Amino acid sequence: MSLSLWNYPTLARWPTSIFDEMERDIPRVMSRTGEGELVRCDIRENDTHYTVSADIPGMSPDDVKVSVENGVLTLSAERKKEKKEEKEGKVIREERSYHKVHRSFALPEDVNPDQIDGNMEHGVLTLKLPKAEPKQPAARTIQIKHK
């Protein structure tokens, strides 16, 4: 099973139709509703784990929150406006003072959520989502009772 966008088709089977247009428009629409922009992500899989790489430029690790709840991995980051006095003149235009981003993915059943690990370097958040060991069906003997 592959990682999938929460409430969207799986990434492996992402349609090349109207959904492509919706995906391009979502960040623009979300930024107007105050929810923030969608984090752009790459997802890779190998035999032992999934790797999620998310672009979060201009944010520090303290600004980033990663959580797992009810099988959904959520990435969010928020940079708040800094209170500072201008000693070098007045500000003419300020566009970088506040920024909010987020993204949610439904986790595959084979991910071990307790062992997810992450780091951030040069504005890229990298999460390693280890796969759980496949569960072997337990063999047991059923005892038959006499009536």
Side-chain angles (χ1 to χ4, degrees):
M1 177 182 267
S2 62
L3 281 176
S4 61
L5 283 167
W6 188 34
N7 293 333
Y8 286 92
T10 62
L11 291 177
R13 292 178 275 133
W14 192 253
T16 56
S17 63
I18 191 169
F19 292 106
D20 286 336
E21 292 176 31
M22 284 177 41
E23 198 268 338
R24 279 194 312 266
D25 289 339
I26 286 174
R28 178 180 50 81
V29 172
M30 295 300 278
S31 64
R32 289 184 180 167
T33 63
E35 294 295 319
E37 296 177 24
L38 288 179
V39 176
R40 299 291 180 176
C41 297
D42 293 335
I43 301 172
R44 292 181 169 70
E45 176 185 13
N46 67 27
D47 293 337
T48 62
H49 65 276
Y50 297 93
T51 302
V52 177
S53 300
D55 284 342
I56 309 179
M59 302 281 190
S60 73
D62 293 335
D63 297 329
V64 176
K65 179 182 176 191
V66 178
S67 63
V68 175
E69 185 175 347
N70 298 324
V72 176
L73 174 72
T74 300
L75 319 173
S76 61
E78 183 175 11
R79 181 180 60 225
K80 301 198 181 206
K81 185 174 182 171
E82 295 179 13
K83 302 280 186 192
K84 60 182 177 181
E85 291 186 27
E86 294 296 326
K87 297 179 182 175
E88 301 285 324
K90 67 179 181 174
V91 175
I92 302 296
R93 183 176 182 108
E94 188 174 73
E95 294 181 344
R96 303 178 308 115
S97 63
Y98 176 80
H99 190 65
K100 184 176 182 179
V101 295
H102 73 283
R103 191 73 177 262
S104 294
F105 297 97
L107 290 176
E109 293 177 11
D110 62 346
V111 168
N112 186 342
D114 296 329
Q115 293 184 354
I116 294 174
D117 187 31
N119 64 61
M120 191 162 168
E121 184 175 356
H122 303 297
V124 178
L125 172 67
T126 303
L127 299 174
K128 182 178 177 181
L129 292 69
K131 293 181 180 180
E133 292 294 322
K135 295 180 182 176
Q136 298 296 326
R140 70 177 240 227
T141 303
I142 310 297
Q143 195 169 30
I144 307 298
K145 298 178 185 171
H146 294 285
K147 285 191 171 187

